[in-house]
């Protein structure tokens, strides 16, 4: 197992090299400048769209704007925000959060383009149903000769959409917060039981398809973000005297890399810190990875630019708000300097220190909502990838593998799981960013027409 663990770690490090960083962040910066910050100037309009002002039940698609964003957010506002941020701080210190923010701002531009394309170039599956996603806008937008790139995305998506990280960290949280303090023995057996329970819950929802998934998560996502927000505000209030000190350290350590414990990149710890922040940012908000295009591509709309504006709110909510809340909770309580906890346990230690007796349980409620909603959305992404590859009539087979992977996630080490998903996310980013950069001029042409109509 240790050899497999090392192989997966080497694989993740290899694909997350300089070329991918240039493609993901360099490409995002190019899209930001190329758009002349146009979508950012209409953030108010995107909120209007989200509130349903422009909903038309007769538009093509399966779900409304709010449900599409909720479905996409339920997969991004998850354990990446709690455990992923904790991993980033444990390895990189406060400075890693700055580069997480950079990835979010750049990611907002990337999401605008990728999700506009998801509606602009929707295709049909083998059953004749309208579908959206990277694999469809590659084939429909670039032509059939580009299909190998679409297949590459869909194959990588089969692994990238597995829920193993969320399950792993939820299992760790239940063991650390609930079982161990109550003197219940934890280990393989307890993790296996948790995995089986999660399998049963997930099976009930995902068999209902996208409609049940979107309705479930559109109720769960706002509630879980609100509870988490209030809980962290309590932690910041309890530690108000050091809030500004640690907030300042996010900026000062971003370039000094004083607390970086990971591997240097290109011989420098700063390069390693930047890569760590970008890698965790991509894991958190998925900008440039392409998973969200499958949710937004199913939105009921005939205006691609409108959906791009909605999708752009994702990284702002996910990374700039929720990830920052987690980071500040870990920093102000000083638990980030300890060596005996990692991942979600680090966040749990912060909650326990600031809000004794109930803090851990508040976090556990948030984690349950975060993780379980993510389980529902990722199953949808995986089935769409298999549907593209083997036909819609075979998509149900993915759910069997998906449900079995929940057991694997519950009983396997964090490092193996994190590197596995990191690696396949990186592979998904390659076709997503290449096709988006090529098709970007068509998005801008549509955007100019749309905003001219909106003004008039």
């Amino acid at each position: 197992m240790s050899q497999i663990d090392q192989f997966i770690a080497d694989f993740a490090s290899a694909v997350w090299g300089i070329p991918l960083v240039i493609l993901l962040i360099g490409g995002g910066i190019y899209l930001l400048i190329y758009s002349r910050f146009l979508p950012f100037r209409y953030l108010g309009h995107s909120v209007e769209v989200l509130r349903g002002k422009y909903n038309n039940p007769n538009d093509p698609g399966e779900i409304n704007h709010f449900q599409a964003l909720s479905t996409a957010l339920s997969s991004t506002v998850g354990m990446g925000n709690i455990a992923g941020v904790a991993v980033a701080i444990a390895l990189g210190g406060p400075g890693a959060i700055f580069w997480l923010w950079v990835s979010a701002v750049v990611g907002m531009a990337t999401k605008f383009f990728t999700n506009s394309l998801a509606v602009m170039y929707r295709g049909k599956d083998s059953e004749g149903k309208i579908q959206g996603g990277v694999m469809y806008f590659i084939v429909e937008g670039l032509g059939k000769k580009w299909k190998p790139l679409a297949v590459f995305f869909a194959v990588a998506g089969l692994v990238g959409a597995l829920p193993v990280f969320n399950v792993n960290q939820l299992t760790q949280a239940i063991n650390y917060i609930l079982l161990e303090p109550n003197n219940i023995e934890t280990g393989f057996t307890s993790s296996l039981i948790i995995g089986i329970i999660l399998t049963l819950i997930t099976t009930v929802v995902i068999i209902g398809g996208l409609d049940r998934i979107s309705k479930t998560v559109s109720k769960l996502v706002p509630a879980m973000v609100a509870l988490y927000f209030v809980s962290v505000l309590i932690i910041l209030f309890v530690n108000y005297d050091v809030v500004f000190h640690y907030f300042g350290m996010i900026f000062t350590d971003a370039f000094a890399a004083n607390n970086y414990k990971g591997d240097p990149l290109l011989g420098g710890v700063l390069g390693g810190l930047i890569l760590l922040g970008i890698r965790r940012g991509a894991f958190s908000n998925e900008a440039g990875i392409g998973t969200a295009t499958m949710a937004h591509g199913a939105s009921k709309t005939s205006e691609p630019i409108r959906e791009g504006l909605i999708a752009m709110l994702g990284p702002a909510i996910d990374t700039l708000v929720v990830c920052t809340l987690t980071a500040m909770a870990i920093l102000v309580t000083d638990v980030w300097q300890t060596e005996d906890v990692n991942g979600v346990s680090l966040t749990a230690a912060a909650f326990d220190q600031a809000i004794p007796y109930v803090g851990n349980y508040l976090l556990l409620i948030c984690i349950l909502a975060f993780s379980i909603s993510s389980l529902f959305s990722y199953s949808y992404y995986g089935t769409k990838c298999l549907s593209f590859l083997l036909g819609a009539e075979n998509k149900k087979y993915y759910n069997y593998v998906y449900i079995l992977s929940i057991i694997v996630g519950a009983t396997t080490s964090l490092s193996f799981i994190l590197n596995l998903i990191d690696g396949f996310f990186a592979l998904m980013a390659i076709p997503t960013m290449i096709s988006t950069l090529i098709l970007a001029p068509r998005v801008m042409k549509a955007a100019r027409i749309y905003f001219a109509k909106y003004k008039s």
Side-chain angles (χ1 to χ4, degrees), residues 135 137-152 388 431 434-435 438:
M135 56 282 202
F137 74 61
I138 288 174
V139 174
E140 301 297 324
L142 294 176
K144 295 286 190 289
K145 64 181 179 180
W146 289 84
K147 190 170 182 178
L149 197 65
V151 170
F152 182 88
F388 178 81
I434 289 172
S435 55
I438 295 170

Side-chain angles (χ1 to χ4, degrees), residues 40-240:
F40 288 81
R41 289 182 257 150
Y42 290 92
L43 277 173
H45 175 52
S46 63
V47 174
E48 287 180 339
V49 176
L50 183 64
R51 289 172 57 195
K53 186 175 179 179
Y54 300 92
N55 283 357
N56 182 353
N58 297 318
D59 278 341
E62 296 181 72
I63 51 179
N64 65 38
H65 294 296
F66 182 74
Q67 289 173 332
L69 182 63
S70 294
T71 303
L73 274 176
S74 69
S75 61
T76 58
V77 179
M79 293 309 292
N81 303 84
I82 297 176
V85 171
V87 169
I89 293 175
L91 281 176
I97 303 306
F98 177 84
W99 298 109
L100 203 77
W101 289 343
V102 170
S103 78
V105 174
V106 171
M108 288 176 73
T110 305
K111 283 239 177 174
F112 170 74
F113 279 88
T114 55
N115 291 285
S116 294
L117 287 168
V119 174
M120 191 179 293
Y121 293 107
R122 289 197 266 212
K124 289 185 178 179
D125 61 21
S126 59
E127 293 177 343
K129 292 181 180 177
I130 293 174
Q131 301 287 356
V134 172
M135 56 282 202
Y136 289 101
F137 74 61
I138 288 174
V139 174
E140 301 297 324
L142 294 176
K144 295 286 190 289
K145 64 181 179 180
W146 289 84
K147 190 170 182 178
L149 197 65
V151 170
F152 182 88
F153 173 85
V155 170
L158 292 176
V159 180
L162 292 175
V164 284
F165 177 74
N166 287 296
V167 172
N168 178 277
Q169 288 297 279
L170 176 56
T171 304
Q172 186 177 321
I174 293 171
N175 284 331
Y176 182 85
I177 296 171
L178 196 61
L179 304 186
E180 289 173 11
N182 292 296
N183 299 316
I184 298 172
E185 187 178 342
T186 59
F188 179 81
T189 304
S190 67
S191 297
L192 182 62
I193 292 168
I194 293 167
I196 291 169
I197 293 169
L198 288 174
T199 299
L200 295 173
I201 294 169
T202 307
T203 303
V204 170
V205 176
I206 64 177
I207 286 173
L210 177 62
D211 186 56
R212 185 181 291 179
I213 291 169
S214 63
K215 284 178 180 174
T216 304
V217 299
S218 64
K219 293 180 177 67
L220 265 179
V221 170
M224 67 187 180
V225 171
L227 177 61
Y228 194 65
F229 185 78
V230 171
S231 302
V232 175
L233 284 183
I234 294 170
I235 294 174
L236 297 183
F237 179 75
V238 171
N239 297 276
Y240 72 93

Side-chain angles (χ1 to χ4, degrees), residues 275-321:
L275 180 60
L276 173 67
I278 291 168
R279 192 164 158 177
R280 295 278 62 80
F283 189 89
S284 170
N285 59 52
E286 296 171 29
I289 307 301
T291 49
T293 61
M294 292 181 265
H296 287 287
S299 179
K300 274 185 177 291
T301 184
S302 55
E303 291 284 2
I305 301 305
R306 202 173 278 166
E307 198 58 36
L309 289 170
I310 289 291
M312 192 177 68
L313 295 172
I317 297 167
D318 171 270
T319 308
L320 297 180
V321 177

Side-chain angles (χ1 to χ4, degrees), residues 410-430:
T411 55
T412 313
S413 71
L414 170 61
S415 59
F416 174 83
I417 295 297
L418 194 58
N419 287 321
L420 178 73
I421 300 302
D422 265 0
F424 279 89
F425 264 26
L427 295 180
M428 292 169 74
I430 295 168

